[in-house]
Protein backbone atom coordinates (compact mmCIF):
# COMPACT_ATOMS: atom_id res chain seq x y z
CA UNK A 1 0.00 0.00 0.00
CA UNK A 2 1.30 3.46 -0.88
CA UNK A 3 2.42 5.68 2.03
CA UNK A 4 -0.38 8.25 1.61
CA UNK A 5 -2.99 5.54 2.11
CA UNK A 6 -1.05 3.94 4.94
CA UNK A 7 -1.06 7.29 6.74
CA UNK A 8 -4.86 7.17 6.67
CA UNK A 9 -4.87 3.60 8.03
CA UNK A 10 -2.42 4.42 10.83
CA UNK A 11 -4.30 7.59 11.82
CA UNK A 12 -7.54 5.62 12.05
CA UNK A 13 -5.89 2.85 14.07
CA UNK A 14 -4.41 5.42 16.45
CA UNK A 15 -7.86 6.94 16.95
CA UNK A 16 -9.22 3.41 17.38
CA UNK A 17 -7.08 3.01 20.49
CA UNK A 18 -9.21 5.72 22.10
CA UNK A 19 -12.52 3.94 21.53
CA UNK A 20 -11.48 0.31 21.87
CA UNK A 21 -11.49 -0.57 18.15
CA UNK A 22 -7.71 -0.61 17.69
CA UNK A 23 -6.02 -3.49 15.85
CA UNK A 24 -2.20 -3.72 16.10
CA UNK A 25 -0.59 -3.00 12.72
CA UNK A 26 2.47 -4.71 11.19
CA UNK A 27 4.33 -2.89 8.40
CA UNK A 28 6.41 -5.01 6.03
CA UNK A 29 8.96 -3.79 3.53
CA UNK A 30 12.58 -3.76 2.36
CA UNK A 31 15.19 -1.60 4.08
CA UNK A 32 15.09 2.14 3.53
CA UNK A 33 11.48 2.58 2.32
CA UNK A 34 10.43 4.67 5.34
CA UNK A 35 8.55 2.28 7.62
CA UNK A 36 9.89 3.88 10.80
CA UNK A 37 9.36 7.37 9.41
CA UNK A 38 5.69 6.62 8.75
CA UNK A 39 5.21 5.92 12.45
CA UNK A 40 7.13 9.06 13.44
CA UNK A 41 4.87 11.11 11.16
CA UNK A 42 1.78 9.75 12.93
CA UNK A 43 3.23 10.83 16.26
CA UNK A 44 3.95 14.31 14.92
CA UNK A 45 0.50 14.70 13.41
CA UNK A 46 -1.27 13.49 16.53
CA UNK A 47 1.20 15.32 18.82
CA UNK A 48 1.82 12.28 21.01
CA UNK A 49 4.86 10.37 22.22
CA UNK A 50 6.28 7.51 20.16
CA UNK A 51 8.12 4.88 22.19
CA UNK A 52 10.43 3.10 19.74
CA UNK A 53 11.50 -0.32 21.02
CA UNK A 54 14.04 -2.19 18.88
CA UNK A 55 13.21 -5.82 19.63
CA UNK A 56 16.28 -7.05 17.74
CA UNK A 57 18.47 -5.56 20.47
CA UNK A 58 16.62 -7.07 23.41
CA UNK A 59 16.57 -10.07 25.70
CA UNK A 60 13.27 -11.56 26.91
CA UNK A 61 13.83 -10.08 30.38
CA UNK A 62 14.07 -6.59 28.84
CA UNK A 63 10.34 -6.79 28.06
CA UNK A 64 9.10 -8.99 30.89
CA UNK A 65 11.13 -7.20 33.53
CA UNK A 66 13.38 -8.54 36.29
CA UNK A 67 12.01 -10.46 39.30
CA UNK A 68 12.79 -9.19 42.79
CA UNK A 69 11.75 -10.20 46.31
CA UNK A 70 9.45 -7.84 48.16
CA UNK A 71 10.95 -7.49 51.66
CA UNK A 72 7.58 -6.74 53.25
CA UNK A 73 5.48 -9.57 51.80
CA UNK A 74 8.22 -12.01 50.90
CA UNK A 75 6.60 -12.45 47.49
CA UNK A 76 8.46 -12.24 44.17
CA UNK A 77 7.43 -9.19 42.17
CA UNK A 78 8.42 -8.02 38.69
CA UNK A 79 10.16 -4.70 38.01
CA UNK A 80 8.31 -3.17 35.05
CA UNK A 81 10.72 -1.81 32.38
CA UNK A 82 10.68 1.99 32.36
CA UNK A 83 10.57 2.06 28.55
CA UNK A 84 6.99 0.70 28.44
CA UNK A 85 4.17 3.26 28.25
CA UNK A 86 3.28 4.86 31.55
CA UNK A 87 0.54 7.47 31.86
CA UNK A 88 2.39 9.60 34.42
CA UNK A 89 5.62 9.52 32.45
CA UNK A 90 4.49 9.38 28.81
CA UNK A 91 0.91 10.64 28.75
CA UNK A 92 -2.56 9.14 28.31
CA UNK A 93 -2.20 8.72 24.54
CA UNK A 94 0.70 7.60 22.41
CA UNK A 95 2.24 4.98 20.13
CA UNK A 96 4.18 1.89 21.18
CA UNK A 97 6.32 1.04 18.15
CA UNK A 98 7.97 -2.38 18.04
CA UNK A 99 10.58 -1.92 15.32
CA UNK A 100 12.74 -4.64 13.75
CA UNK A 101 10.33 -7.24 15.11
CA UNK A 102 11.28 -9.79 12.44
CA UNK A 103 14.92 -9.49 13.52
CA UNK A 104 14.14 -10.40 17.13
CA UNK A 105 15.16 -13.85 18.33
CA UNK A 106 12.17 -16.19 18.89
CA UNK A 107 12.40 -15.96 22.66
CA UNK A 108 11.91 -12.17 22.49
CA UNK A 109 9.05 -12.55 20.00
CA UNK A 110 7.35 -14.95 22.40
CA UNK A 111 7.62 -12.37 25.19
CA UNK A 112 5.85 -9.88 22.93
CA UNK A 113 2.80 -12.10 22.26
CA UNK A 114 0.85 -11.06 25.32
CA UNK A 115 1.92 -7.43 25.05
CA UNK A 116 0.58 -7.14 21.50
CA UNK A 117 -2.73 -8.98 21.71
CA UNK A 118 -3.72 -8.70 25.38
CA UNK A 119 -2.01 -5.31 25.90
CA UNK A 120 -0.37 -6.61 29.07
CA UNK A 121 2.72 -8.37 30.41
CA UNK A 122 2.08 -10.04 33.73
CA UNK A 123 0.97 -7.26 36.08
CA UNK A 124 1.72 -4.53 33.53
CA UNK A 125 -1.02 -3.20 31.23
CA UNK A 126 -0.62 -0.95 28.20
CA UNK A 127 -2.68 2.19 28.97
CA UNK A 128 -5.91 2.72 27.08
CA UNK A 129 -5.29 5.28 24.36
CA UNK A 130 -1.96 3.78 23.28
CA UNK A 131 -1.76 2.26 19.80
CA UNK A 132 0.60 -0.63 19.02
CA UNK A 133 2.44 -0.64 15.69
CA UNK A 134 5.32 -2.82 14.48
CA UNK A 135 7.63 -3.02 11.47
CA UNK A 136 10.16 -5.38 9.98
CA UNK A 137 11.96 -6.55 6.86
CA UNK A 138 10.87 -9.49 4.76
CA UNK A 139 12.93 -12.67 4.62
CA UNK A 140 13.99 -12.05 1.03
CA UNK A 141 15.52 -8.65 1.84
CA UNK A 142 18.87 -10.07 2.96
CA UNK A 143 18.53 -8.64 6.46
CA UNK A 144 18.82 -10.53 9.74
CA UNK A 145 15.29 -11.94 9.88
CA UNK A 146 13.38 -14.79 11.47
CA UNK A 147 10.12 -16.25 10.24
CA UNK A 148 7.33 -14.58 12.17
CA UNK A 149 5.62 -17.29 14.24
CA UNK A 150 1.97 -17.83 13.32
CA UNK A 151 0.69 -16.99 16.83
CA UNK A 152 2.48 -13.63 16.62
CA UNK A 153 1.44 -12.94 13.00
CA UNK A 154 -2.19 -13.59 13.91
CA UNK A 155 -2.04 -10.75 16.41
CA UNK A 156 -1.60 -8.09 13.68
CA UNK A 157 -3.20 -6.65 10.61
CA UNK A 158 -0.48 -6.73 7.92
CA UNK A 159 0.43 -4.07 5.34
CA UNK A 160 3.19 -4.02 2.73
CA UNK A 161 4.83 -0.58 2.37
CA UNK A 162 5.09 0.35 -1.31
CA UNK A 163 7.37 3.02 -2.75
CA UNK A 164 5.42 5.80 -4.47
CA UNK A 165 7.17 8.72 -6.14
CA UNK A 166 4.30 11.23 -5.80
CA UNK A 167 4.05 10.53 -2.07
CA UNK A 168 7.81 10.82 -1.67
CA UNK A 169 7.91 14.12 -3.58
CA UNK A 170 5.17 15.57 -1.36
CA UNK A 171 7.15 14.48 1.70
CA UNK A 172 10.40 15.84 0.23
CA UNK A 173 9.03 19.35 -0.30
CA UNK A 174 7.73 19.42 3.28
CA UNK A 175 11.09 18.29 4.65
CA UNK A 176 13.38 20.66 2.73
CA UNK A 177 14.88 18.05 0.43
CA UNK A 178 16.87 19.77 -2.34
CA UNK A 179 14.88 20.60 -5.45
CA UNK A 180 17.82 19.18 -7.42
CA UNK A 181 17.23 15.71 -5.98
CA UNK A 182 13.46 16.00 -6.44
CA UNK A 183 13.95 17.00 -10.08
CA UNK A 184 16.43 14.18 -10.66
CA UNK A 185 14.03 11.56 -9.31
CA UNK A 186 11.19 12.99 -11.37
CA UNK A 187 13.54 12.53 -14.35
CA UNK A 188 14.69 9.04 -13.23
CA UNK A 189 11.76 7.72 -11.13
CA UNK A 190 13.01 4.13 -11.18
CA UNK A 191 15.94 5.22 -9.01
CA UNK A 192 13.81 6.22 -6.03
CA UNK A 193 14.25 2.63 -4.86
CA UNK A 194 16.60 0.24 -6.61
CA UNK A 195 17.60 -2.66 -4.38
CA UNK A 196 18.58 -6.10 -5.63
CA UNK A 197 18.90 -8.45 -2.65
CA UNK A 198 20.67 -11.00 -4.86
CA UNK A 199 23.67 -8.68 -5.14
CA UNK A 200 23.42 -7.36 -1.57
CA UNK A 201 24.85 -3.87 -2.27
CA UNK A 202 26.14 -1.78 0.61
CA UNK A 203 24.93 1.52 -0.88
CA UNK A 204 21.81 1.68 -3.02
CA UNK A 205 19.03 4.15 -3.89
CA UNK A 206 16.16 4.24 -1.39
CA UNK A 207 14.00 6.95 0.18
CA UNK A 208 16.30 6.83 3.21
CA UNK A 209 19.55 7.07 1.21
CA UNK A 210 18.24 9.96 -0.92
CA UNK A 211 17.85 11.86 2.34
CA UNK A 212 21.51 11.05 3.03
CA UNK A 213 22.37 12.34 -0.46
CA UNK A 214 20.53 15.56 0.34
CA UNK A 215 22.68 15.98 3.45
CA UNK A 216 25.77 15.35 1.33
CA UNK A 217 24.73 18.10 -1.09
CA UNK A 218 24.36 20.53 1.78
CA UNK A 219 27.76 19.69 3.25
CA UNK A 220 29.90 19.16 0.14
CA UNK A 221 28.48 21.40 -2.62
CA UNK A 222 31.40 23.76 -2.05
CA UNK A 223 33.88 20.85 -2.33
CA UNK A 224 33.45 19.58 -5.91
CA UNK A 225 36.45 17.29 -5.61
CA UNK A 226 34.64 15.11 -3.06
CA UNK A 227 30.98 15.69 -3.94
CA UNK A 228 30.76 12.82 -6.43
CA UNK A 229 32.31 10.38 -3.98
CA UNK A 230 29.96 11.39 -1.17
CA UNK A 231 26.89 11.03 -3.39
CA UNK A 232 28.04 7.58 -4.48
CA UNK A 233 28.63 6.64 -0.86
CA UNK A 234 24.96 7.41 -0.17
CA UNK A 235 23.06 6.04 -3.18
CA UNK A 236 25.56 3.76 -4.90
CA UNK A 237 28.11 4.24 -7.72
CA UNK A 238 25.77 4.41 -10.74
CA UNK A 239 23.04 6.59 -9.20
CA UNK A 240 25.69 8.90 -7.72
CA UNK A 241 27.27 9.51 -11.13
CA UNK A 242 23.88 10.20 -12.73
CA UNK A 243 22.88 12.63 -9.99
CA UNK A 244 26.17 14.54 -10.24
CA UNK A 245 25.82 14.86 -14.03
CA UNK A 246 22.22 16.04 -13.62
CA UNK A 247 23.24 18.69 -11.08
CA UNK A 248 26.02 19.93 -13.36
CA UNK A 249 23.54 20.37 -16.23
CA UNK A 250 21.35 22.67 -14.14
CA UNK A 251 23.69 25.59 -14.92
CA UNK A 252 21.72 25.87 -18.17
CA UNK A 253 18.36 26.43 -16.46
CA UNK A 254 16.32 29.49 -17.47
CA UNK A 255 16.04 32.50 -15.16
CA UNK A 256 13.54 31.54 -12.45
CA UNK A 257 13.23 35.10 -11.17
CA UNK A 258 12.15 36.20 -14.65
CA UNK A 259 9.48 33.49 -14.70
CA UNK A 260 8.17 34.62 -11.32
CA UNK A 261 7.83 38.23 -12.48
CA UNK A 262 5.77 37.18 -15.48
CA UNK A 263 8.37 37.66 -18.21
CA UNK A 264 8.08 35.58 -21.37
CA UNK A 265 10.61 32.80 -20.76
CA UNK A 266 10.86 29.83 -23.07
CA UNK A 267 10.78 26.35 -21.58
CA UNK A 268 14.03 24.42 -22.14
CA UNK A 269 14.07 21.76 -24.83
CA UNK A 270 16.11 19.28 -22.76
CA UNK A 271 13.83 16.98 -20.77
CA UNK A 272 16.13 16.88 -17.73
CA UNK A 273 16.10 20.68 -17.53
CA UNK A 274 12.32 20.70 -17.78
CA UNK A 275 12.12 18.48 -14.71
CA UNK A 276 14.63 20.75 -12.96
CA UNK A 277 12.63 23.89 -13.75
CA UNK A 278 9.35 22.31 -12.65
CA UNK A 279 10.79 21.18 -9.30
CA UNK A 280 12.47 24.54 -8.68
CA UNK A 281 9.21 26.39 -9.35
CA UNK A 282 7.33 24.24 -6.84
CA UNK A 283 10.01 25.14 -4.30
CA UNK A 284 9.53 28.84 -5.08
CA UNK A 285 5.76 28.44 -4.68
CA UNK A 286 6.24 26.98 -1.20
CA UNK A 287 8.53 29.83 -0.17
CA UNK A 288 6.09 32.45 -1.47
CA UNK A 289 3.52 31.41 1.15
CA UNK A 290 5.77 32.83 3.86
CA UNK A 291 6.65 35.90 1.80
CA UNK A 292 3.01 36.98 1.45
CA UNK A 293 2.96 37.15 -2.37
CA UNK A 294 1.70 33.65 -3.02
CA UNK A 295 -1.20 34.56 -5.32
CA UNK A 296 1.08 36.49 -7.68
CA UNK A 297 3.73 33.77 -7.71
CA UNK A 298 1.16 31.01 -8.20
CA UNK A 299 -0.31 32.89 -11.12
CA UNK A 300 3.00 33.32 -12.93
CA UNK A 301 3.90 29.65 -12.38
CA UNK A 302 0.52 28.53 -13.72
CA UNK A 303 1.06 30.68 -16.79
CA UNK A 304 4.52 29.21 -17.29
CA UNK A 305 3.11 25.67 -16.94
CA UNK A 306 1.50 26.22 -20.34
CA UNK A 307 4.93 26.86 -21.91
CA UNK A 308 6.06 23.23 -21.84
CA UNK A 309 5.83 21.45 -25.17
CA UNK A 310 4.62 18.31 -23.41
CA UNK A 311 1.47 19.28 -21.56
CA UNK A 312 2.06 16.35 -19.20
CA UNK A 313 5.07 18.22 -17.80
CA UNK A 314 2.83 21.14 -16.89
CA UNK A 315 0.35 18.74 -15.28
CA UNK A 316 3.15 17.27 -13.16
CA UNK A 317 4.28 20.76 -12.12
CA UNK A 318 0.79 21.88 -11.09
CA UNK A 319 0.00 18.56 -9.37
CA UNK A 320 3.16 18.79 -7.26
CA UNK A 321 2.41 22.42 -6.46
CA UNK A 322 -1.14 21.57 -5.41
CA UNK A 323 0.09 18.86 -3.03
CA UNK A 324 2.66 21.28 -1.62
CA UNK A 325 0.62 24.48 -1.16
CA UNK A 326 -2.93 23.19 -0.78
CA UNK A 327 -6.35 24.14 -2.09
CA UNK A 328 -5.67 27.88 -2.17
CA UNK A 329 -4.19 27.24 -5.61
CA UNK A 330 -7.75 26.75 -6.92
CA UNK A 331 -8.66 30.35 -6.03
CA UNK A 332 -5.98 31.86 -8.27
CA UNK A 333 -7.61 33.13 -11.52
CA UNK A 334 -4.83 31.65 -13.64
CA UNK A 335 -5.70 28.14 -12.44
CA UNK A 336 -8.92 27.93 -14.46
CA UNK A 337 -7.07 29.26 -17.51
CA UNK A 338 -4.39 26.60 -17.13
CA UNK A 339 -7.00 23.88 -16.58
CA UNK A 340 -8.76 24.88 -19.80
CA UNK A 341 -5.48 24.67 -21.70
CA UNK A 342 -4.92 21.02 -20.79
CA UNK A 343 -8.53 19.85 -21.11
CA UNK A 344 -7.74 17.77 -24.18
CA UNK A 345 -5.43 15.41 -22.25
CA UNK A 346 -7.59 14.99 -19.15
CA UNK A 347 -9.89 12.04 -18.62
CA UNK A 348 -13.27 12.47 -16.93
CA UNK A 349 -15.76 9.91 -15.67
Amino acid sequence: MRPALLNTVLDKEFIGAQDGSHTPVMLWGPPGVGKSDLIAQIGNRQQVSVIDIRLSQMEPSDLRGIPFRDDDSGNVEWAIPSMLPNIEKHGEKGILFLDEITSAVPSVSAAAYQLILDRRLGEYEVPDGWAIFAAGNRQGDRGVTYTMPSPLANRFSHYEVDVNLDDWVAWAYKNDISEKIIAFLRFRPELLFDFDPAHNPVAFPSPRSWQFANNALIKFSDSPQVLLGTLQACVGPAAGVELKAFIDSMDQMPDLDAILTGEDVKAPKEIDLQYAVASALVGRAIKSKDAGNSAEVFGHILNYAKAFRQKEMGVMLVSDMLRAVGDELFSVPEFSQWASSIGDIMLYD
Side-chain angles (χ1 to χ4, degrees):
M1 184 178 287
R2 61 183 287 183
L5 298 179
L6 274 174
N7 277 329
T8 300
V9 170
L10 294 170
D11 277 330
K12 292 287 187 181
E13 288 294 352
F14 172 79
I15 295 170
Q18 325 303 315
D19 60 23
S21 65
H22 172 65
T23 301
V25 173
M26 173 69 194
L27 300 180
W28 295 88
V33 296
K35 300 183 294 297
S36 301
D37 195 63
L38 278 172
I39 304 302
Q41 291 175 40
I42 302 298
N44 289 335
R45 280 200 300 275
Q46 302 293 339
Q47 297 184 324
V48 296
S49 299
V50 177
I51 297 179
D52 186 337
I53 297 178
R54 305 293 169 119
L55 292 181
S56 62
Q57 303 171 14
M58 292 194 163
E59 299 288 340
S61 59
D62 292 333
L63 278 180
R64 182 67 177 83
I66 299 175
F68 68 95
R69 184 176 182 274
D70 188 306
D71 292 335
D72 295 329
S73 66
N75 297 327
V76 174
E77 304 286 348
W78 289 84
I80 299 172
S82 61
M83 62 186 171
L84 293 175
N86 177 282
I87 290 180
E88 295 181 359
K89 183 178 180 181
H90 303 112
E92 295 183 353
K93 299 186 293 184
I95 296 170
L96 176 59
F97 180 39
L98 305 175
D99 203 359
E100 301 175 359
I101 192 170
T102 53
S103 301
V105 296
S107 58
V108 175
S109 297
Y113 289 3
Q114 187 184 22
L115 179 66
I116 294 166
L117 183 62
D118 299 330
R119 300 178 63 87
R120 64 183 304 135
L121 271 176
E123 299 295 322
Y124 170 78
E125 292 187 23
V126 178
D128 295 335
W130 279 73
I132 298 177
F133 300 138
N137 299 137
R138 306 162 302 186
Q139 281 196 293
D141 293 326
R142 295 298 292 269
V144 178
T145 58
Y146 296 88
T147 301
M148 179 176 282
S150 297
L152 179 59
N154 197 235
R155 284 161 164 76
F156 288 109
S157 58
H158 298 264
Y159 296 90
E160 186 98 8
V161 180
D162 294 331
V163 177
N164 182 277
L165 182 61
D166 286 340
D167 291 353
W168 183 86
V169 168
W171 171 88
Y173 280 119
K174 290 178 182 177
N175 289 272
D176 298 322
I177 300 297
S178 171
E179 295 151 11
K180 298 175 182 177
I181 291 180
I182 296 173
F184 174 71
L185 290 175
R186 278 296 191 194
F187 177 58
R188 292 279 278 129
E190 65 274 16
L191 289 181
L192 176 59
F193 183 76
D194 186 16
F195 173 63
D196 183 358
H199 292 90
N200 199 25
V202 293
F204 56 91
S206 72
R208 177 194 294 156
S209 61
W210 285 115
Q211 188 172 9
F212 295 163
N214 179 71
N215 295 338
L217 270 181
I218 294 172
K219 290 179 286 190
F220 301 109
S221 289
D222 58 352
S223 304
Q225 69 276 17
V226 300
L227 179 58
L228 174 59
T230 58
L231 294 176
Q232 290 179 304
C234 296
V235 295
V241 168
E242 287 196 49
L243 175 60
K244 178 63 164 57
F246 183 89
I247 292 172
D248 291 343
S249 73
M250 292 181 70
D251 292 340
Q252 306 169 41
M253 277 180 53
D255 186 347
L256 296 180
D257 291 330
I259 294 173
L260 296 181
T261 56
E263 296 182 31
D264 184 14
V265 179
K266 300 297 182 183
K269 296 179 180 179
E270 298 83 356
I271 191 69
D272 56 340
L273 290 180
Q274 291 180 29
Y275 279 107
V277 172
S279 297
L281 288 176
V282 174
R284 292 294 187 94
I286 295 170
K287 294 175 183 176
S288 72
K289 295 188 71 173
D290 296 330
N293 62 336
S294 57
E296 178 184 353
V297 170
F298 293 172
H300 290 317
I301 294 175
L302 287 164
N303 287 333
Y304 186 78
K306 296 183 288 186
F308 293 108
R309 294 185 178 183
Q310 295 92 353
K311 292 184 179 180
E312 291 80 1
M313 186 67 69
V315 172
M316 184 205 74
L317 163 59
V318 177
S319 297
D320 282 351
M321 186 162 64
L322 177 61
R323 280 188 287 266
V325 303
D327 292 347
E328 66 179 274
L329 185 63
F330 293 138
S331 63
V332 178
E334 288 83 357
F335 181 83
S336 59
Q337 300 169 18
W338 170 82
S340 298
S341 73
I342 52 93
D344 58 326
I345 66 169
M346 302 300 290
L347 298 177
Y348 301 93
D349 292 332

